[in-house]
Amino acid sequence: MAEAGAERGREDDAGRSRPRRPVPLTFEPGAPADTGGDRFFDLESMDDPSELLDRATELALAFRAAADRATEFQAIAAAQLADPRRFDRLTFEGLAEQAGWTEDYARRMVEYGESLIRGGGIAP
């Protein structure tokens, strides 16, 4: 897990970097649904610190990958909503209000989304 877990992407046959699939973010099968305590992916029940570190690291990487992916989708949606060709186009101010961002951040997200769309980045 050491080197593979720290790797943020892999190269395909053409040498392009592609995202890794994150570890599944689910509870262990058969875990009681209402244990009445603070349960976080069953980490609190692990006794082996090495196993705990490995699983916690996997989860941290998975959450980072999921957050990065979600941000890309936010940016694409922002670019689409602010597209001047839309009759119902949102201004940066309107977009910021809808998403809970500042107007400057909305502008930067639109620019980022436009670059993703131009580059054929991710498909919405």
Side-chain angles (χ1 to χ4, degrees):
M1 146 92 215
E3 284 185 25
E7 178 182 306
R8 298 276 306 187
R10 294 185 198 148
E11 288 191 7
D12 61 17
D13 293 337
R16 293 182 301 255
S17 180
R18 61 184 169 145
R20 290 180 29 154
R21 291 222 180 267
V23 67
L25 301 177
T26 58
F27 287 98
E28 297 295 323
D34 58 349
T35 58
D38 184 20
R39 298 182 55 90
F40 189 74
F41 297 96
D42 219 20
L43 294 178
E44 69 286 337
S45 68
M46 293 184 173
D47 294 326
D48 180 1
S50 181
E51 180 184 346
L52 176 61
L53 177 62
D54 287 346
R55 181 64 178 151
T57 301
E58 287 176 345
L59 286 168
L61 291 171
F63 282 121
R64 282 186 207 125
D68 290 346
R69 186 87 167 139
T71 300
E72 290 173 346
F73 279 102
Q74 280 183 310
I76 287 175
Q80 290 172 337
L81 288 169
D83 188 335
R85 297 173 294 188
R86 290 178 62 111
F87 76 92
D88 59 346
R89 166 183 190 248
L90 286 179
T91 63
F92 294 126
E93 180 182 7
L95 185 60
E97 184 178 323
Q98 181 175 335
W101 300 331
T102 65
E103 193 172 329
D104 181 57
Y105 187 76
R107 180 176 285 110
R108 287 186 283 144
M109 284 296 277
V110 167
E111 291 169 359
Y112 178 47
E114 289 170 344
S115 72
L116 288 172
I117 292 169
R118 271 193 313 275
I122 59 174

